Amino acid sequence: MITNYRFYSRLLRTCLVIGFLLSIACIKDTNAQQMAPDFSLPDLTGETVSLKEFRGKIVLVDFWATWCLPCRKTLPELAKLDKKYREKGLVILGLSIDDPSSYDNKYVADFKDRYKIEYRILRADKKTYQSYLGTDDPRVPTLFIVDKKGKIVGKHEGFELGTLEKELLKLL
C-alpha cells in the first residue's frame, strides 16, 4: 500500500511538472511583435508605394490628416527626424487619411510644400487604416515604428515631443 502511495505521488508530481511546462510553452507571448500589415498605396504623384519595398530599413508609418491640429504639431519633429536619420536607414511614410473627394492630391501636395515635408506622403485607404488601427474611425496622429524585419515595435497615439527619437535611436 505504501509502495502504491509513493508511485502515485511521483506520478502526480511528474504530471504536474509536465502540465506546468506545457502550459508555459502554450502561453501566447503578449509582448510578441506583430508583423506590420503590408500595403500598396499611391503617393501624391500617383506612383504606387509598398511597405515591403523598405524591408531592411526602419520605417515610421504616420497616419495623419491636414485638418488635424495635433498632426500639424508632429510635422516639424518628423521633418527633423527625416533629415537627421534618413542616411542611417530611416524611412518616414506619411499616410494621409484625408478624404480624396474633399482634399485632392494638389491640396495635400500644397500642404506638404507649406510645411516643408520631404518624406513621402501616401493616400491611405480604409482597408489600410483598419488593418493598423482596427477601426473605421481612425485617431490621428497615430504612428507605428516598423523594424528592419517588418515587425511593429512601437505605436504612438497623439504627439509627445522627443519620444520618437529615443525609440528610433535604439533601432538605428
Side-chain angles (χ1 to χ4, degrees), residues 71-113:
C71 297
R72 291 179 184 194
K73 289 182 180 181
T74 67
L75 297 176
E77 182 170 1
L78 294 177
K80 181 183 89 173
L81 292 172
D82 180 48
K83 284 183 181 180
K84 194 171 181 180
Y85 299 112
R86 182 184 294 177
E87 296 300 317
K88 293 183 179 181
L90 176 66
V91 174
I92 299 177
L93 298 174
L95 275 62
S96 168
I97 65 160
D98 288 302
D99 179 0
S101 64
S102 301
Y103 302 91
D104 63 12
N105 283 357
K106 182 178 178 346
Y107 177 86
V108 178
D110 289 345
F111 183 92
K112 179 183 176 190
D113 292 343

Side-chain angles (χ1 to χ4, degrees), residues 80-148:
K80 181 183 89 173
L81 292 172
D82 180 48
K83 284 183 181 180
K84 194 171 181 180
Y85 299 112
R86 182 184 294 177
E87 296 300 317
K88 293 183 179 181
L90 176 66
V91 174
I92 299 177
L93 298 174
L95 275 62
S96 168
I97 65 160
D98 288 302
D99 179 0
S101 64
S102 301
Y103 302 91
D104 63 12
N105 283 357
K106 182 178 178 346
Y107 177 86
V108 178
D110 289 345
F111 183 92
K112 179 183 176 190
D113 292 343
R114 187 170 53 246
Y115 280 86
K116 296 175 177 49
I117 301 170
E118 294 183 22
Y119 53 86
R120 289 182 94 168
I121 301 295
L122 312 178
R123 299 305 299 256
D125 57 16
K126 188 174 183 177
K127 177 184 170 196
T128 303
Y129 66 72
Q130 282 178 333
S131 66
Y132 276 83
L133 304 171
T135 180
D136 286 342
D137 185 26
R139 294 186 180 174
V140 288
T142 301
L143 300 102
F144 292 86
I145 300 172
V146 180
D147 72 7
K148 294 177 181 183

Side-chain angles (χ1 to χ4, degrees), residues 1 7 11 30 40-41 46 59 64-65 70 82 95-97 103 107 124 134 148 162-163 168:
M1 187 84 161
F7 172 78
L11 181 62
T30 56
S40 293
L41 298 170
V59 181
W64 70 287
D82 180 48
L95 275 62
S96 168
I97 65 160
Y103 302 91
Y107 177 86
K148 294 177 181 183
T163 58
L168 291 171

Side-chain angles (χ1 to χ4, degrees), residues 45-77:
T45 65
E47 183 181 339
T48 300
V49 177
S50 172
L51 179 63
K52 222 185 298 185
E53 65 190 77
F54 299 106
R55 285 279 163 83
K57 296 182 182 254
I58 304 300
V59 181
L60 186 58
V61 178
D62 174 30
F63 286 90
W64 70 287
T66 58
W67 44 262
C68 166
L69 294 179
C71 297
R72 291 179 184 194
K73 289 182 180 181
T74 67
L75 297 176
E77 182 170 1

